[in-house]
């Protein structure tokens, strides 16, 4: 009787990795591809399905905030960016998916599920690799920077550089005008306008080069720049650099990037490099009542 052939033992399947907890993954994990496809679903205004405005309301945005975002080329992407900056701890991928589910956008969830999970896995893998790196390196060389000086420059930045805080306007001012800047914060941030200002003394962390930080914030993080013009402003090297840098990004003020503000009378002449730009004049008693509305509206422009 022929012997039975030896049986090859069945290969035991390896453990299936558990899916990541998306409620603990910040929004910065989502890459450009997912955000672009999300915009393709939510940007079109449709009566039959919840669009980006419904998501904005679910995130707590008020009417004027939504109106301001309407002018953006990709309002969904702009909404997610602002949500990340406003609620860095609560802006998670899981929270976003919960909101889309509550809005009935199951089509979005079904189409993006695999891509979202893949982005989150890659993000968590990068974080784990960073955590596993040794605290010390074999060679110490102070001449070679180990981290970018522009990572984590504001109070709400991700210290690892994965997410950056964005602003509606950079405020260029000197220290002696700080009291007026505080009034600007009250009028533009803490009222119905809900704007987000970048105020150096409040929002920027100490310890890095002033010129590098200023250039990064003005060019990449802020949509506009407000220049608080005064006699003391004319004596400030920092203000001079910031103003000229902003003008170099927008020659002829074609994109309305720079907005001069005069809030008190001056002994010196108004700076010549700003004379060709229309200003907001707080010193004129006839137009003072319109000052904050005009300034806010100019910062809300797309």
């Amino acid at each position: 009787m022929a012997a039975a052939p030896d049986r090859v033992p069945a290969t035991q399947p390896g453990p299936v990795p558990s899916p990541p907890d998306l409620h603990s993954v910040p929004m910065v994990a989502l890459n450009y591809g997912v955000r672009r496809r999300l915009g393709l679903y939510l940007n079109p205004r449709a009566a039959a399905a919840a669009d980006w405005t419904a998501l904005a309301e679910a995130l707590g945005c008020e009417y004027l905030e939504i109106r301001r975002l309407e002018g953006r080329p990709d309002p969904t992407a702009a909404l997610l960016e602002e949500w990340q900056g406003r609620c860095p701890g609560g802006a998670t991928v899981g929270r976003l998916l919960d909101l889309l589910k509550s809005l009935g956008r199951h089509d979005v969830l079904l189409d993006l599920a695999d891509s979202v999970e893949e982005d989150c896995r890659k993000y968590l893998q990068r974080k784990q690799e960073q955590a596993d790196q040794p605290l010390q390196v074999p060679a110490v060389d102070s001449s070679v920077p180990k981290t970018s000086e522009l990572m984590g420059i504001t109070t709400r930045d991700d210290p690892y550089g994965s997410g950056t805080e964005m602003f509606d306007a950079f405020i260029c001012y000197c220290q002696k005008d700080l009291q007026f800047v505080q009034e600007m914060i009250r009028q533009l941030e803490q009222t119905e306008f809900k704007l987000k200002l970048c105020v150096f003394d409040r929002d920027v962390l100490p310890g890095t080069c002033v010129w590098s930080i200023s250039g990064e914030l003005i060019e990449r993080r802020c949509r506009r720049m407000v220049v608080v013009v005064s006699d003391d402003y004319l004596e400030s090297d920092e203000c001079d650099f910031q103003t000229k840098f902003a003008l170099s990004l927008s020659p002829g003020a074609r994109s309305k990037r720079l907005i001069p503000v005069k809030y008190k009378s001056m002994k010196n002449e108004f700076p010549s490099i700003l004379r060709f730009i229309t200003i907001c004049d707080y010193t004129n008693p006839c137009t003072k009542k319109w000052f904050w509305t005009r300034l806010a509206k100019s910062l809300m422009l797309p």
Side-chain angles (χ1 to χ4, degrees), residues 152-164:
I153 61 176
T154 68
T155 55
R156 291 188 176 181
D157 273 358
D158 184 321
Y160 297 101
S162 298
T164 55

Side-chain angles (χ1 to χ4, degrees), residues 66-82:
I66 297 175
R67 283 293 304 274
R68 176 169 55 84
L69 291 172
E70 277 185 322
R72 301 290 186 89
D74 187 348
T76 300
L79 172 64
L80 297 180
E81 286 286 344
E82 293 202 1

